[in-house]
Amino acid sequence: QVQLRESGGGLVQAGGSLELSCVMSGRAFSWFDMGWFRQAPGKEREFVGSITWNGDTTGYADSVKGRFTISRDNSKNTLYLQMSSLTPADTGLYSCARRNGGTGSYDSWGQGTQVTVSS
């Protein structure tokens, strides 16, 4: 049973920075592409960004491009999301997810960590 656990969320002022972490249980973390998603109150969950299994390629939503950076440390089974120049629009519950290599869909999710950006 795969478990994903996020941490690092909190309250930050606009313009500030925050780094989120996501630890995956098990030994297969390095096999999978991973992604970050967020959900603001009253809105649907949206894609933030993704990273390939070896960290060579990343992709981002236009809304965060240039401000957020995804990285991973396969030796620690950990995925990171470095966020900078935060705005209130970045407020939401941030979740990490594992991408199924066969289907291409994200099939395992963490509970999420709350990020709140004050103006």
Side-chain angles (χ1 to χ4, degrees):
Q1 183 77 9
V2 173
Q3 287 190 333
L4 298 167
R5 180 169 295 180
E6 304 89 342
S7 62
L11 175 64
V12 62
Q13 288 188 332
S17 300
L18 208 58
E19 183 177 70
L20 307 183
S21 299
C22 166
V23 178
M24 187 177 112
S25 64
R27 296 178 294 173
F29 177 75
S30 62
W31 297 358
F32 296 94
D33 296 351
M34 300 291 294
W36 283 101
F37 294 77
R38 68 185 182 188
Q39 186 168 21
K43 295 187 177 181
E44 293 189 355
R45 183 168 57 197
E46 65 172 347
F47 170 79
V48 173
S50 64
I51 187 168
T52 52
W53 64 273
N54 58 1
D56 279 359
T57 303
T58 55
Y60 301 93
D62 287 343
S63 58
V64 306
K65 201 171 293 182
R67 301 187 299 120
F68 289 13
T69 302
I70 296 176
S71 62
R72 66 191 296 162
D73 185 338
N74 286 345
S75 69
K76 296 181 180 179
N77 282 15
T78 303
L79 176 73
Y80 301 98
L81 179 65
Q82 177 66 46
M83 306 183 292
S84 61
S85 301
L86 288 162
T87 74
D90 295 314
T91 294
L93 184 68
Y94 283 71
S95 301
C96 61
R98 185 190 75 172
R99 187 176 182 187
N100 186 303
T103 66
S105 63
Y106 291 89
D107 63 358
S108 295
W109 297 80
Q111 295 287 334
T113 185
Q114 179 67 35
V115 172
T116 302
V117 184
S118 63
S119 57

